[in-house]
Amino acid sequence: MNSIFSMSRKDVITFLIFSAVVLLMPIWLQPFGAAYPDLMQKFAIFGILAIGFNILFGLTGYLSFGHAAFLGAGSYAAVWTFKLFSMNPIPALIFAVIIAGLFALAIGYVSLRRSGIYFSILTLAFAQMSYNLAYSVLTPVTYGETGLQLALDDPRIADAAFGGGSDVALPVSNLFGMVNMNGIPGFYFCAIFLIIGFFITQRIFASPFGMMLRAIKSNQNRMSYTGFNTRPYTLTAFVISGMYAGLAGGLMAVTDPLAGAERMQWTASGEIVLMTILGGVGTLIGPVVGAWLIKYFENIFSSFNENVLHNLFAFLPEGIEKFVVEVTSMFVGEGWHLTLGLVFVLVVTFLPGGMMEGYRRIVDMFQKKDDGDGKASTKSDAATAPAE
Amino acid sequence: MTTNNENIVLHVADVHKTFGGLHALSDIDLQIEEGKTHAIIGPNGAGKSTLLNVVVGRLAPTRGAVVFDGQVLTGKQPHEINQVGVARVFQTPEIFPDLTVLQNVMIPALAKRDGDFKLNFLSSLEDEVEIREEAEHMLEDVGMKASKDMFASSLSRGDKRRMELAMCLMQHPRLLLLDEPTAGMSRHDTNTTIDLLKKIKERGMTKVIIEHDMHVVFSLADKISVLAGGRIIAEGTPEEVRNNPKVQEAYLGGAH
């Protein structure tokens, strides 16, 4: 513990570049047509979700199929804090993270008694249980199908005590009455948490704790015969990643104060897995990249309609234009899932290490130019193996 | 039963192990003296590995108990058994294939401090200078320093075994169990390993070795137990065992 902030040079550079990329999103996303606050908030929130998930899946190898439960728990907790306590996002987020952490502790405690596919099924079962409970028995807490929303007559005791808030319109979450949490300020609020979350992940990856988690993934038997009690390690990783999901869920509520049960559905859990695999399991940046890609596809490709396509291909002769629009329209709009599916299949088949492996291969290709080809292959094999 | 209990570090007391109707181990009573190298030999299927599995907690004995330094190990978890000072080299190397050789050797050294759990995610691996240096020394001792940054998965089978031995030695265990430590090694590597094991003996570490290679057994063992059909059929110094007609019949076939 001699230096809390001792980081390797490489880590510092990665951190600075990452922060810059996140903070400059409103600028560099312009040419992609993605620089609007709603989408950028999603980039930040799902980035947090994916890097948290990666602490569990990437480091310990335990594949949870129920992380959406923690996302949902975080959202409900945050909205309840808004309703009962204050529209300030800070207490809402603290409460969201704590509730999600407790959820993860309970679910992880039971699920981690099994490994491999049985673990995945257990987490899936717990998440679906949470989802169904939110729709049925827990309606007084979750407001079932309508979802949990703010109301004019909410007590908001802290806000009331300080005389804040008006009686005519629904309040917006704000930081001490100063900054409203929608639009660009909302994005920056989320972005700061993404950067903090990334920093903590970096520390975990470079720490002895992180190495223990990797060792568990690599050979849990050897860990036991080496004197390690592996259960507390895997449970801690599970709870940490659940807390990240809770934070993401809380931020969703901060930027848009409502919570619905569909956030806990298994498709939402599956999406988190997709993001992580697409970007690169076990890498630092991969999951964030995966999250951004999927959210970009979801928002941009799904908004393409035939009119847009007709404009895009207007330069082609009449008959061909019609044909091209017919074909491409299958991949956009409602069909964006098809595009996502194809991209996923291609990545998993040709780049099992995700987008980050593709990046590494390109870097290797340029570095090996002068080495000659002989030893290049063995070296790049070794380079793809580490979960950095 | 001998009475010089002070020198006995491991006592396998009247252990039986059955799998269904199969008697894998029967009436095993084994006493290992502190600081000695005790070899267990016997034909394939004699129950040698089963015996080690009972000692390290991978298998629970059907009857009987394992006592290490006055503590009953039977019923303890494998990590608890390791923490009292028992380390094991497996027949097929149990290593961390996705980590580097240096990391493989560092982890066992961290077990004493972090084994029961430590959430030290704010400190950096780079700060573990002492353990890193110790691990580098150890790799030098086993002649693997050059490959310290390689991934363990890319090592040859012989190197994996040597690394696993180095991993166990990093823990300075009181009792080291070796399941065929030289299988799959070249003659040269086998001799290096024998030298290394002799060196450990000078430091007073107790060892139990299962081995097929009689060259290894006779150059290391102080005492030999011969296992056949799940029973100990002979026990004694290498000389005694070599000349025991029962052993020659059951195992050595007169060849040695």
Side-chain angles (χ1 to χ4, degrees):
Chain A
M1 267 295 189
N2 47 1
S3 49
I4 286 180
F5 289 99
S6 76
M7 283 172 97
S8 73
R9 218 181 126 76
K10 195 181 149 219
D11 274 355
V12 173
I13 294 171
T14 312
F15 177 73
L16 291 178
I17 293 177
F18 181 81
S19 309
V21 166
V22 172
L23 293 173
L24 295 178
M25 261 187 188
I27 296 167
W28 67 265
L29 280 177
Q30 294 277 2
F32 299 98
Y36 54 95
D38 261 15
L39 184 54
M40 289 193 299
Q41 286 167 5
K42 276 190 186 147
F43 281 170
I45 292 170
F46 282 91
I48 294 172
L49 187 61
I51 52 178
F53 181 73
N54 190 44
I55 292 172
L56 179 70
F57 182 40
L59 289 182
T60 70
Y62 278 84
L63 173 56
S64 160
F65 248 105
H67 254 52
F70 312 129
L71 187 78
S75 282
Y76 282 122
V79 176
W80 271 113
T81 319
F82 286 148
K83 285 170 85 72
L84 299 179
F85 187 67
S86 161
M87 288 309 290
N88 189 328
I90 302 292
L93 288 180
I94 292 173
F95 194 53
V97 170
I98 291 173
I99 290 289
L102 291 175
F103 249 69
L105 188 65
I107 292 179
Y109 184 80
V110 179
S111 305
L112 285 165
R113 295 181 168 269
R114 292 282 169 270
S115 60
I117 187 77
Y118 302 102
F119 169 81
S120 304
I121 297 292
L122 278 173
T123 50
L124 176 63
F126 277 116
Q128 281 302 90
M129 266 195 285
S130 313
Y131 167 68
N132 284 314
L133 285 178
Y135 259 136
S136 54
V137 189
L138 293 178
T139 307
V141 182
T142 61
Y143 286 72
E145 266 178 70
T146 25
L148 185 61
Q149 292 172 6
L150 299 179
L152 276 176
D153 55 356
D154 286 335
R156 285 192 289 279
I157 47 174
D159 289 356
F162 291 103
S166 72
D167 300 331
V168 277
L170 276 180
V172 182
S173 58
N174 57 70
L175 209 52
F176 307 107
M178 294 183 295
V179 190
N180 280 353
M181 281 303 133
N182 43 24
I184 289 286
F187 159 68
Y188 277 109
F189 187 74
C190 298
I192 286 166
F193 282 98
L194 174 60
I195 289 168
I196 295 172
F198 184 79
F199 176 75
I200 294 174
T201 312
Q202 255 189 328
R203 299 313 307 256
I204 291 177
F205 270 56
S207 70
F209 174 72
M211 182 168 72
M212 301 318 166
L213 296 183
R214 281 202 192 102
I216 288 171
K217 179 183 187 176
S218 195
N219 187 345
Q220 191 156 6
N221 257 335
R222 181 28 104 192
M223 253 343 228
S224 303
Y225 292 108
T226 301
F228 279 93
N229 190 3
T230 54
R231 190 71 60 74
Y233 278 97
T234 47
L235 185 57
T236 308
F238 194 88
V239 171
I240 291 175
S241 92
M243 287 162 85
Y244 269 77
L247 175 66
L251 284 169
M252 281 181 185
V254 166
T255 52
D256 184 12
L258 54 89
E262 74 287 343
R263 257 175 217 171
M264 295 187 167
Q265 217 181 351
W266 68 273
T267 47
S269 296
E271 194 184 48
I272 307 170
V273 181
L274 284 188
M275 287 170 177
T276 312
I277 294 177
L278 187 65
V281 181
T283 61
L284 261 174
I285 300 172
V288 185
V289 174
W292 291 352
L293 272 177
I294 286 185
K295 284 295 138 189
Y296 181 76
F297 273 86
E298 183 187 274
N299 283 272
I300 302 300
F301 271 59
S302 64
S303 67
F304 277 24
N305 54 27
E306 295 225 350
N307 275 335
V308 178
L309 290 176
H310 278 299
N311 286 335
L312 201 63
F313 295 110
F315 63 93
L316 293 169
E318 184 88 10
I320 300 175
E321 192 251 33
K322 223 172 177 183
F323 176 72
V324 170
V325 170
E326 280 287 292
V327 173
T328 45
S329 66
M330 296 194 319
F331 294 92
V332 298
E334 292 284 289
W336 78 273
H337 278 112
L338 186 58
T339 319
L340 178 65
L342 283 175
V343 170
F344 190 75
V345 168
L346 288 175
V347 166
V348 171
T349 312
F350 295 106
L351 298 169
M355 308 297 286
M356 290 315 284
E357 188 181 336
Y359 166 76
R360 230 178 276 121
R361 280 193 197 172
I362 292 168
V363 171
D364 277 1
M365 226 159 63
F366 282 106
Q367 281 177 346
K368 298 291 148 51
K369 273 264 162 75
D370 17 63
D371 283 16
D373 292 338
K375 43 197 170 169
S377 60
T378 51
K379 235 182 160 182
S380 73
D381 275 353
T384 51
E388 255 190 83
Chain B
M1 241 195 246
T2 44
T3 45
N4 55 338
N5 267 337
E6 282 147 48
N7 283 335
I8 303 299
V9 65
L10 182 76
H11 186 187
V12 178
D14 192 27
V15 160
H16 289 244
K17 179 71 195 174
T18 54
F19 296 108
L22 177 76
H23 292 269
L25 297 173
S26 332
D27 302 323
I28 300 287
D29 204 279
L30 198 62
Q31 306 205 9
I32 313 287
E33 277 180 67
E34 177 109 58
K36 294 287 161 66
T37 301
H38 195 126
I40 296 173
I41 62 173
N44 282 328
K48 304 181 302 278
S49 291
T50 309
L51 178 58
L52 285 200
N53 284 338
V54 168
V55 174
V56 297
R58 178 176 267 192
L59 294 173
T62 314
R63 208 175 77 204
V66 178
V67 181
F68 173 77
D69 196 25
Q71 301 176 61
V72 178
L73 297 188
T74 318
K76 283 195 170 157
Q77 295 284 316
H79 71 266
E80 295 169 322
I81 293 176
N82 175 277
Q83 284 173 2
V84 300
V86 181
R88 175 176 179 185
V89 174
F90 286 80
Q91 198 172 353
T92 34
E94 289 271 2
I95 55 167
F96 304 115
D98 310 319
L99 303 183
T100 67
V101 170
L102 186 65
Q103 287 174 330
N104 264 273
V105 181
M106 281 174 75
I107 287 173
L110 290 165
K112 216 161 242 143
R113 191 189 74 194
D114 295 356
D116 281 325
F117 182 63
K118 194 166 174 201
L119 181 61
N120 44 359
F121 72 86
L122 283 179
S123 73
S124 167
L125 211 49
E126 305 287 319
D127 300 336
E128 310 286 350
V129 181
E130 267 169 52
I131 283 164
R132 179 184 304 270
E133 277 171 6
E134 201 187 336
E136 281 174 358
H137 275 296
M138 180 59 71
L139 286 173
E140 211 166 346
D141 280 354
V142 297
M144 290 185 66
K145 192 153 187 215
S147 36
K148 74 180 168 101
D149 292 322
M150 279 170 75
F151 285 97
S153 55
S154 60
L155 294 176
S156 71
R157 197 173 137 89
D159 277 351
K160 282 181 185 161
R161 298 187 149 275
R162 270 199 290 175
M163 188 187 73
E164 194 186 14
L165 180 59
M167 289 163 75
C168 289
L169 294 179
M170 282 298 280
Q171 299 197 299
H172 307 292
R174 280 190 64 194
L175 175 66
L176 180 61
L177 309 171
L178 300 132
D179 199 345
E180 300 195 28
T182 62
M185 279 191 188
S186 66
R187 194 84 252 178
H188 172 76
D189 285 349
T190 303
N191 287 331
T192 323
T193 308
I194 291 175
D195 290 343
L196 183 72
L197 291 174
K198 279 184 176 158
K199 233 198 281 179
I200 310 164
K201 193 177 163 190
E202 285 159 19
R203 290 187 218 152
M205 195 182 287
T206 314
K207 294 191 295 296
V208 174
I209 297 190
I210 288 179
E211 188 56 76
H212 274 299
D213 188 332
M214 287 306 129
H215 168 61
V216 178
V217 172
F218 287 112
S219 41
L220 285 172
D222 298 304
K223 204 173 174 189
I224 299 176
S225 297
V226 185
L227 214 60
R231 284 172 191 280
I232 295 175
I233 59 164
E235 200 168 70
T237 63
E239 234 11 72
E240 287 164 10
V241 168
R242 204 200 297 258
N243 299 326
N244 187 328
K246 240 162 82 185
V247 177
Q248 288 179 351
E249 189 192 325
Y251 182 56
L252 299 174
H256 284 259

